[in-house]
Amino acid sequence: MSRPVVIVVARASNGVIGKDGTLPWHIPADLKRFKQVTGGTAMIMGRRTFDSLPGLLPGRRHIVLTRDRDWCATGAEVVHSPDEALAAAGDAPVSIIGGAEIIALLEPRANAVELTEVHLDADGDTRMPAFDPAVWREVSRETHAAADGRPAFSFVRLERTAAA
């Protein structure tokens, strides 16, 4: 099997994935899962996603795909194309963490999705379409009820279908 190339994203029922450069919800279990899923991987992200992080995340590489040839940041490996991003990762497992444009660019190269379905229609300015069921099949789902003022959510793993 080829190395894991996994899209890691949380998406509201209405397609929202972000608002003003942040997540429009706070779900500690999702943040814990993100840390677990991305640990030890080469994370590929866009510049705005990198800027939204609280800092460099320990135990992960930060590969930033940007069109800006002059952009740089301490701890970021800067690349300018999807091919360059995947090459920079070498043989390491890859986590594609956003934003929507980066996910769309790299989705054809991914072999799995770790999706957090947030069961609400969120207010936000960044949206992403649902994953095409002709390309992706659900292999696991773990649903969590709303609690402590937080929305219900499901952790869903999708894998690329053999036909795709």
Side-chain angles (χ1 to χ4, degrees):
M1 177 174 151
S2 61
R3 71 174 164 182
V5 178
V6 181
I7 295 168
V8 183
V9 65
R11 183 180 176 277
S13 302
N14 61 346
V16 167
I17 64 168
K19 180 180 181 178
D20 300 327
T22 64
L23 293 173
W25 48 75
H26 179 70
I27 303 172
D30 179 49
L31 299 175
K32 182 178 178 183
R33 182 168 182 259
F34 178 87
K35 181 178 180 180
Q36 173 192 4
V37 168
T38 62
T41 70
M43 296 187 307
I44 298 174
M45 68 200 84
R47 182 196 47 79
R48 288 188 303 262
T49 298
F50 179 83
D51 289 344
S52 77
L53 297 176
L56 295 176
L57 304 178
R60 290 155 271 201
R61 290 174 52 206
H62 296 67
I63 300 172
V64 180
L65 176 54
T66 178
R67 287 184 285 272
D68 184 344
R69 298 276 172 183
D70 297 323
W71 186 86
C72 65
T74 302
E77 300 172 53
V78 181
V79 297
H80 304 289
S81 73
D83 287 338
E84 200 181 340
L86 291 168
D91 294 332
V94 171
S95 296
I96 302 163
I97 66 166
E101 186 178 350
I102 301 303
I103 291 170
L105 281 171
L106 287 161
E107 181 182 348
R109 315 277 188 89
N111 46 40
V113 177
E114 291 290 351
L115 172 65
T116 301
E117 291 180 344
V118 182
H119 303 299
L120 64 85
D121 285 340
D123 180 30
D125 53 25
T126 307
R127 294 177 184 273
M128 190 184 94
F131 290 96
D132 183 348
V135 176
W136 299 100
R137 67 181 169 85
E138 183 175 315
V139 296
S140 68
R141 174 178 294 267
E142 179 184 312
T143 299
H144 300 266
D148 301 322
R150 293 178 173 77
F153 60 95
S154 299
F155 293 144
V156 181
R157 181 171 173 89
L158 306 172
E159 293 180 356
R160 186 171 291 280
T161 63

